[in-house]
Each structure stands twice: as C-alpha cells, then as structure tokens.
Amino acid sequence: MLKIYTLVAFSASAALLAGCSNNSSDDGTTTTQNYTSFAEIQPDAATMQSTYTDPNGTLLMWITRATEAQIPDTGGATYKGFVNLPLSDGDLIGELAMVASFSAAAGSIDSSATGFFHENNGAYTGTLTGTGALVQDAPPGVPQVSTALDGPLSNGGTDYTTSLALAGDIVANGADPYGAVAGTADGNVGTDVFLGGVFAAER
C-alpha cells in the first residue's frame, strides 16, 4: 500500500504544479527528475497518486475516466509519473513514462520505468519496458489502459527478474480531459510477489 504522508492539500497541489512546470521541456514533454533517495521521490509520487486514486489504485469518487469522445482518434501523448510497488520489506518507487498512440480502432501504449528507490534498501538500478493496449471505448469495469513491463532490477549486487502489470484509466488533469493515466500495478520483483501497487502519470 502506498504510504501517503500528511500533506496540506493546497500546498501539495501547488508544489506538484510547480514541480511539473520546472520539469517541462520546450516541446511540452516532461524531463526526468534527478531523484537521489526514497525520501525525495516518495512525496512527489504520493501527491500525484493521491490526486487520482485511493491507496489501492481505485479512482477517487469524484474522478471519472475520459469518455471515448474526449480521447483523440489520432496522434499521441507522453505521460510521466510514478509507480509504487509494495514489497514485503517496504515500498519500491520508480519513475514511469507512458507513450500513448491514439486510434479509434486499436490504440497502443509503450511504457518504461526506471530510477527506483526502496524505502529501506536504497537505489535499484535497471529499466523495465513493455507495450500494451489503449482501448478508448472499454466497457465499464474494463481498464482503458493495460500494459506489461519486464526487465531486471539490481540492488546490493543481486539481480531481480521483474514483471509488472499496469491496469488503469485515462482521466482528466485539470482542464485537460485526457491529461492523466492512473490505476493499479501488480507483479513481482524477484520472488517477492505483490498485489495492490499503484501508478499515476500526467502529460
């Protein structure tokens, strides 16, 4: 479960907006933040995630997913955010990038996650990558976005074969009707199998 530290809602929102602004490049995409510890990445991840979902990855009551009409039929979008994995010995948080290709027939999404920090064990090196589906007209109860990420993560001289399954929906980010993606993350890091992870990313 994602540990959300006590935050003043207004200040947290302002800080998040300021952080996104500072990390934006001229072409509108978001650059990677140079986090150096779990203590640095955790507040940003918690703030973004708690904007859209509860600690289990379920959309908040006042957050509704984008309708088919609100999602473009062509073009694409890049989303940047975080994925939080509840391992047996503490949370593992990494930076997440999702590149969506919109299509009325069959959209797709390419994802990667890197820059992981563990709550107790420091940095994990390595990058997870994968592809998935983006279904604009998914029926209720079926995620609009589903993607699998795989790869090795290393910590303390040990390599961990890692697989993640992300499932979520496209939601509004302020006035942008398809400005964010959020949902659940399940999988394993080595032999540590978990359910109830979360992810959130904004464009």
mmCIF file of all heavy atoms in Angstrom, residues 1-3 38 55-56 83-93 118-119 164 184-189 192-199:
data_model
loop_
_atom_site.group_PDB
_atom_site.id
_atom_site.type_symbol
_atom_site.label_atom_id
_atom_site.label_comp_id
_atom_site.label_asym_id
_atom_site.label_seq_id
_atom_site.Cartn_x
_atom_site.Cartn_y
_atom_site.Cartn_z
ATOM 1 N N MET A 1 0.853 -1.193 0.000
ATOM 2 C CA MET A 1 0.000 0.000 0.000
ATOM 3 C C MET A 1 0.885 1.237 0.000
ATOM 4 O O MET A 1 1.859 1.318 0.733
ATOM 5 C CB MET A 1 -0.896 -0.010 1.238
ATOM 6 C CG MET A 1 -1.801 1.225 1.351
ATOM 7 S SD MET A 1 -2.853 1.164 2.812
ATOM 8 C CE MET A 1 -3.915 -0.196 2.368
ATOM 9 N N LEU A 2 0.569 2.220 -0.779
ATOM 10 C CA LEU A 2 1.344 3.446 -0.861
ATOM 11 C C LEU A 2 1.215 4.225 0.428
ATOM 12 O O LEU A 2 0.125 4.483 0.903
ATOM 13 C CB LEU A 2 0.843 4.303 -2.033
ATOM 14 C CG LEU A 2 1.589 5.628 -2.268
ATOM 15 C CD1 LEU A 2 3.049 5.349 -2.583
ATOM 16 C CD2 LEU A 2 0.937 6.401 -3.391
ATOM 17 N N LYS A 3 2.326 4.620 1.020
ATOM 18 C CA LYS A 3 2.294 5.372 2.259
ATOM 19 C C LYS A 3 2.197 6.852 1.920
ATOM 20 O O LYS A 3 3.110 7.432 1.383
ATOM 21 C CB LYS A 3 3.552 5.085 3.076
ATOM 22 C CG LYS A 3 3.639 3.632 3.518
ATOM 23 C CD LYS A 3 4.930 3.389 4.258
ATOM 24 C CE LYS A 3 4.987 1.974 4.793
ATOM 25 N NZ LYS A 3 4.936 0.979 3.757
ATOM 26 N N PHE A 38 14.820 7.712 -1.644
ATOM 27 C CA PHE A 38 13.401 7.432 -1.429
ATOM 28 C C PHE A 38 12.718 8.637 -0.794
ATOM 29 O O PHE A 38 11.575 8.966 -1.129
ATOM 30 C CB PHE A 38 13.252 6.206 -0.533
ATOM 31 C CG PHE A 38 11.816 5.800 -0.296
ATOM 32 C CD1 PHE A 38 11.162 4.951 -1.186
ATOM 33 C CD2 PHE A 38 11.113 6.253 0.814
ATOM 34 C CE1 PHE A 38 9.841 4.570 -0.981
ATOM 35 C CE2 PHE A 38 9.798 5.877 1.031
ATOM 36 C CZ PHE A 38 9.163 5.037 0.131
ATOM 37 N N PRO A 55 -5.332 4.659 -2.016
ATOM 38 C CA PRO A 55 -4.054 3.948 -1.875
ATOM 39 C C PRO A 55 -4.000 2.598 -2.581
ATOM 40 O O PRO A 55 -2.915 2.037 -2.757
ATOM 41 C CB PRO A 55 -3.917 3.782 -0.354
ATOM 42 C CG PRO A 55 -4.681 4.918 0.219
ATOM 43 C CD PRO A 55 -5.866 5.061 -0.689
ATOM 44 N N ASN A 56 -5.152 2.054 -2.995
ATOM 45 C CA ASN A 56 -5.186 0.761 -3.679
ATOM 46 C C ASN A 56 -5.279 0.896 -5.201
ATOM 47 O O ASN A 56 -5.402 -0.100 -5.906
ATOM 48 C CB ASN A 56 -6.355 -0.074 -3.170
ATOM 49 C CG ASN A 56 -6.233 -0.390 -1.691
ATOM 50 O OD1 ASN A 56 -5.172 -0.819 -1.233
ATOM 51 N ND2 ASN A 56 -7.290 -0.165 -0.935
ATOM 52 N N VAL A 83 5.421 4.833 -10.331
ATOM 53 C CA VAL A 83 4.817 3.551 -9.998
ATOM 54 C C VAL A 83 5.329 3.145 -8.627
ATOM 55 O O VAL A 83 6.520 3.304 -8.320
ATOM 56 C CB VAL A 83 5.144 2.476 -11.067
ATOM 57 C CG1 VAL A 83 6.637 2.247 -11.208
ATOM 58 C CG2 VAL A 83 4.413 1.186 -10.768
ATOM 59 N N ASN A 84 4.417 2.681 -7.768
ATOM 60 C CA ASN A 84 4.767 2.307 -6.405
ATOM 61 C C ASN A 84 4.457 0.833 -6.192
ATOM 62 O O ASN A 84 3.320 0.394 -6.382
ATOM 63 C CB ASN A 84 3.983 3.155 -5.396
ATOM 64 C CG ASN A 84 4.378 2.834 -3.963
ATOM 65 O OD1 ASN A 84 4.107 1.755 -3.467
ATOM 66 N ND2 ASN A 84 4.997 3.782 -3.288
ATOM 67 N N LEU A 85 5.462 0.080 -5.776
ATOM 68 C CA LEU A 85 5.339 -1.362 -5.615
ATOM 69 C C LEU A 85 5.485 -1.715 -4.138
ATOM 70 O O LEU A 85 6.531 -1.455 -3.527
ATOM 71 C CB LEU A 85 6.426 -2.073 -6.433
ATOM 72 C CG LEU A 85 6.618 -1.557 -7.868
ATOM 73 C CD1 LEU A 85 7.760 -2.310 -8.545
ATOM 74 C CD2 LEU A 85 5.325 -1.684 -8.667
ATOM 75 N N PRO A 86 4.455 -2.318 -3.530
ATOM 76 C CA PRO A 86 4.501 -2.641 -2.100
ATOM 77 C C PRO A 86 5.199 -3.982 -1.841
ATOM 78 O O PRO A 86 4.545 -5.023 -1.702
ATOM 79 C CB PRO A 86 3.022 -2.687 -1.718
ATOM 80 C CG PRO A 86 2.343 -3.160 -2.966
ATOM 81 C CD PRO A 86 3.139 -2.609 -4.124
ATOM 82 N N LEU A 87 6.518 -3.960 -1.756
ATOM 83 C CA LEU A 87 7.262 -5.193 -1.494
ATOM 84 C C LEU A 87 7.134 -5.594 -0.024
ATOM 85 O O LEU A 87 6.711 -4.807 0.819
ATOM 86 C CB LEU A 87 8.732 -5.010 -1.869
ATOM 87 C CG LEU A 87 9.023 -4.562 -3.311
ATOM 88 C CD1 LEU A 87 10.525 -4.618 -3.583
ATOM 89 C CD2 LEU A 87 8.257 -5.396 -4.321
ATOM 90 N N SER A 88 7.511 -6.810 0.272
ATOM 91 C CA SER A 88 7.336 -7.335 1.627
ATOM 92 C C SER A 88 8.196 -6.603 2.649
ATOM 93 O O SER A 88 7.862 -6.572 3.839
ATOM 94 C CB SER A 88 7.666 -8.831 1.650
ATOM 95 O OG SER A 88 9.008 -9.053 1.226
ATOM 96 N N ASP A 89 9.308 -5.981 2.201
ATOM 97 C CA ASP A 89 10.201 -5.291 3.135
ATOM 98 C C ASP A 89 10.171 -3.774 2.959
ATOM 99 O O ASP A 89 11.064 -3.069 3.426
ATOM 100 C CB ASP A 89 11.632 -5.809 2.994
ATOM 101 C CG ASP A 89 12.182 -5.674 1.579
ATOM 102 O OD1 ASP A 89 11.404 -5.327 0.662
ATOM 103 O OD2 ASP A 89 13.389 -5.912 1.389
ATOM 104 N N GLY A 90 9.135 -3.248 2.275
ATOM 105 C CA GLY A 90 9.000 -1.806 2.110
ATOM 106 C C GLY A 90 8.634 -1.437 0.690
ATOM 107 O O GLY A 90 8.757 -2.239 -0.234
ATOM 108 N N ASP A 91 8.190 -0.204 0.502
ATOM 109 C CA ASP A 91 7.775 0.262 -0.820
ATOM 110 C C ASP A 91 8.973 0.477 -1.739
ATOM 111 O O ASP A 91 10.057 0.886 -1.304
ATOM 112 C CB ASP A 91 7.007 1.577 -0.706
ATOM 113 C CG ASP A 91 5.603 1.391 -0.166
ATOM 114 O OD1 ASP A 91 5.203 0.234 0.043
ATOM 115 O OD2 ASP A 91 4.916 2.403 0.055
ATOM 116 N N LEU A 92 8.750 0.220 -3.027
ATOM 117 C CA LEU A 92 9.737 0.488 -4.071
ATOM 118 C C LEU A 92 9.073 1.405 -5.089
ATOM 119 O O LEU A 92 8.059 1.046 -5.683
ATOM 120 C CB LEU A 92 10.175 -0.814 -4.743
ATOM 121 C CG LEU A 92 11.205 -0.710 -5.874
ATOM 122 C CD1 LEU A 92 12.543 -0.189 -5.345
ATOM 123 C CD2 LEU A 92 11.400 -2.065 -6.556
ATOM 124 N N ILE A 93 9.618 2.617 -5.263
ATOM 125 C CA ILE A 93 9.012 3.622 -6.134
ATOM 126 C C ILE A 93 9.951 3.952 -7.284
ATOM 127 O O ILE A 93 11.152 4.173 -7.078
ATOM 128 C CB ILE A 93 8.689 4.911 -5.359
ATOM 129 C CG1 ILE A 93 7.712 4.628 -4.224
ATOM 130 C CG2 ILE A 93 8.108 5.978 -6.290
ATOM 131 C CD1 ILE A 93 7.420 5.834 -3.346
ATOM 132 N N HIS A 118 14.112 2.183 -2.954
ATOM 133 C CA HIS A 118 13.412 1.368 -1.968
ATOM 134 C C HIS A 118 13.370 2.094 -0.633
ATOM 135 O O HIS A 118 14.310 2.809 -0.262
ATOM 136 C CB HIS A 118 14.112 0.017 -1.810
ATOM 137 C CG HIS A 118 13.365 -0.961 -0.977
ATOM 138 N ND1 HIS A 118 13.483 -1.008 0.395
ATOM 139 C CD2 HIS A 118 12.471 -1.927 -1.311
ATOM 140 C CE1 HIS A 118 12.713 -1.972 0.880
ATOM 141 N NE2 HIS A 118 12.086 -2.543 -0.140
ATOM 142 N N GLU A 119 12.289 1.879 0.070
ATOM 143 C CA GLU A 119 12.066 2.545 1.349
ATOM 144 C C GLU A 119 13.190 2.289 2.353
ATOM 145 O O GLU A 119 13.549 3.171 3.143
ATOM 146 C CB GLU A 119 10.735 2.059 1.924
ATOM 147 C CG GLU A 119 10.285 2.743 3.181
ATOM 148 C CD GLU A 119 8.892 2.310 3.585
ATOM 149 O OE1 GLU A 119 8.295 1.448 2.900
ATOM 150 O OE2 GLU A 119 8.397 2.849 4.589
ATOM 151 N N LEU A 164 5.782 -6.395 -14.217
ATOM 152 C CA LEU A 164 4.676 -5.586 -13.718
ATOM 153 C C LEU A 164 3.517 -5.636 -14.692
ATOM 154 O O LEU A 164 3.716 -5.671 -15.903
ATOM 155 C CB LEU A 164 5.093 -4.116 -13.548
ATOM 156 C CG LEU A 164 6.305 -3.793 -12.676
ATOM 157 C CD1 LEU A 164 6.506 -2.287 -12.618
ATOM 158 C CD2 LEU A 164 6.139 -4.383 -11.290
ATOM 159 N N THR A 184 -3.732 0.535 -11.126
ATOM 160 C CA THR A 184 -3.075 -0.432 -10.254
ATOM 161 C C THR A 184 -1.833 -1.027 -10.913
ATOM 162 O O THR A 184 -1.699 -1.050 -12.135
ATOM 163 C CB THR A 184 -4.032 -1.572 -9.893
ATOM 164 O OG1 THR A 184 -4.439 -2.256 -11.097
ATOM 165 C CG2 THR A 184 -5.266 -1.039 -9.188
ATOM 166 N N ALA A 185 -0.946 -1.536 -10.059
ATOM 167 C CA ALA A 185 0.277 -2.195 -10.512
ATOM 168 C C ALA A 185 0.470 -3.467 -9.694
ATOM 169 O O ALA A 185 0.623 -3.402 -8.471
ATOM 170 C CB ALA A 185 1.478 -1.269 -10.345
ATOM 171 N N ASP A 186 0.439 -4.611 -10.356
ATOM 172 C CA ASP A 186 0.663 -5.898 -9.707
ATOM 173 C C ASP A 186 1.860 -6.581 -10.358
ATOM 174 O O ASP A 186 2.214 -6.277 -11.500
ATOM 175 C CB ASP A 186 -0.561 -6.805 -9.857
ATOM 176 C CG ASP A 186 -1.816 -6.179 -9.265
ATOM 177 O OD1 ASP A 186 -1.708 -5.481 -8.246
ATOM 178 O OD2 ASP A 186 -2.899 -6.393 -9.839
ATOM 179 N N GLY A 187 2.470 -7.516 -9.650
ATOM 180 C CA GLY A 187 3.574 -8.234 -10.273
ATOM 181 C C GLY A 187 4.546 -8.816 -9.274
ATOM 182 O O GLY A 187 4.178 -9.231 -8.169
ATOM 183 N N ASN A 188 5.820 -8.831 -9.669
ATOM 184 C CA ASN A 188 6.854 -9.401 -8.806
ATOM 185 C C ASN A 188 8.183 -8.704 -9.042
ATOM 186 O O ASN A 188 8.483 -8.227 -10.146
ATOM 187 C CB ASN A 188 7.021 -10.892 -9.058
ATOM 188 C CG ASN A 188 7.630 -11.207 -10.408
ATOM 189 O OD1 ASN A 188 6.922 -11.180 -11.425
ATOM 190 N ND2 ASN A 188 8.932 -11.477 -10.450
ATOM 191 N N VAL A 189 8.969 -8.648 -7.983
ATOM 192 C CA VAL A 189 10.377 -8.254 -8.060
ATOM 193 C C VAL A 189 11.153 -9.428 -7.512
ATOM 194 O O VAL A 189 11.156 -9.677 -6.302
ATOM 195 C CB VAL A 189 10.664 -6.965 -7.265
ATOM 196 C CG1 VAL A 189 12.149 -6.617 -7.324
ATOM 197 C CG2 VAL A 189 9.823 -5.806 -7.797
ATOM 198 N N ASP A 192 9.532 -11.834 -4.782
ATOM 199 C CA ASP A 192 8.591 -11.038 -3.989
ATOM 200 C C ASP A 192 7.387 -10.685 -4.858
ATOM 201 O O ASP A 192 7.459 -9.801 -5.713
ATOM 202 C CB ASP A 192 9.284 -9.774 -3.489
ATOM 203 C CG ASP A 192 8.549 -9.126 -2.316
ATOM 204 O OD1 ASP A 192 7.327 -9.340 -2.190
ATOM 205 O OD2 ASP A 192 9.203 -8.397 -1.551
ATOM 206 N N VAL A 193 6.293 -11.395 -4.652
ATOM 207 C CA VAL A 193 5.075 -11.193 -5.445
ATOM 208 C C VAL A 193 4.142 -10.270 -4.673
ATOM 209 O O VAL A 193 3.968 -10.416 -3.462
ATOM 210 C CB VAL A 193 4.375 -12.535 -5.723
ATOM 211 C CG1 VAL A 193 3.099 -12.330 -6.535
ATOM 212 C CG2 VAL A 193 5.330 -13.480 -6.453
ATOM 213 N N PHE A 194 3.536 -9.317 -5.368
ATOM 214 C CA PHE A 194 2.687 -8.342 -4.689
ATOM 215 C C PHE A 194 1.451 -8.016 -5.510
ATOM 216 O O PHE A 194 1.422 -8.124 -6.730
ATOM 217 C CB PHE A 194 3.466 -7.045 -4.410
ATOM 218 C CG PHE A 194 4.035 -6.418 -5.652
ATOM 219 C CD1 PHE A 194 3.284 -5.541 -6.416
ATOM 220 C CD2 PHE A 194 5.318 -6.727 -6.072
ATOM 221 C CE1 PHE A 194 3.793 -4.991 -7.576
ATOM 222 C CE2 PHE A 194 5.842 -6.183 -7.228
ATOM 223 C CZ PHE A 194 5.068 -5.308 -7.983
ATOM 224 N N LEU A 195 0.413 -7.584 -4.808
ATOM 225 C CA LEU A 195 -0.790 -7.002 -5.380
ATOM 226 C C LEU A 195 -0.989 -5.650 -4.706
ATOM 227 O O LEU A 195 -0.455 -5.398 -3.632
ATOM 228 C CB LEU A 195 -2.009 -7.896 -5.123
ATOM 229 C CG LEU A 195 -1.974 -9.304 -5.713
ATOM 230 C CD1 LEU A 195 -3.182 -10.099 -5.211
ATOM 231 C CD2 LEU A 195 -1.971 -9.255 -7.224
ATOM 232 N N GLY A 196 -1.776 -4.780 -5.326
ATOM 233 C CA GLY A 196 -2.110 -3.520 -4.674
ATOM 234 C C GLY A 196 -1.124 -2.408 -4.876
ATOM 235 O O GLY A 196 -1.165 -1.409 -4.145
ATOM 236 N N GLY A 197 -0.218 -2.524 -5.862
ATOM 237 C CA GLY A 197 0.616 -1.397 -6.218
ATOM 238 C C GLY A 197 -0.202 -0.357 -6.979
ATOM 239 O O GLY A 197 -1.342 -0.613 -7.387
ATOM 240 N N VAL A 198 0.349 0.830 -7.162
ATOM 241 C CA VAL A 198 -0.371 1.909 -7.818
ATOM 242 C C VAL A 198 0.549 2.631 -8.802
ATOM 243 O O VAL A 198 1.769 2.596 -8.674
ATOM 244 C CB VAL A 198 -0.936 2.931 -6.813
ATOM 245 C CG1 VAL A 198 -1.989 2.291 -5.930
ATOM 246 C CG2 VAL A 198 0.173 3.530 -5.958
ATOM 247 N N PHE A 199 -0.075 3.283 -9.796
ATOM 248 C CA PHE A 199 0.684 4.154 -10.674
ATOM 249 C C PHE A 199 -0.165 5.354 -11.046
ATOM 250 O O PHE A 199 -1.399 5.312 -11.025
ATOM 251 C CB PHE A 199 1.145 3.413 -11.943
ATOM 252 C CG PHE A 199 0.065 3.233 -12.992
ATOM 253 C CD1 PHE A 199 -0.101 4.168 -14.015
ATOM 254 C CD2 PHE A 199 -0.784 2.129 -12.955
ATOM 255 C CE1 PHE A 199 -1.093 3.997 -14.985
ATOM 256 C CE2 PHE A 199 -1.774 1.960 -13.913
ATOM 257 C CZ PHE A 199 -1.928 2.901 -14.935
#
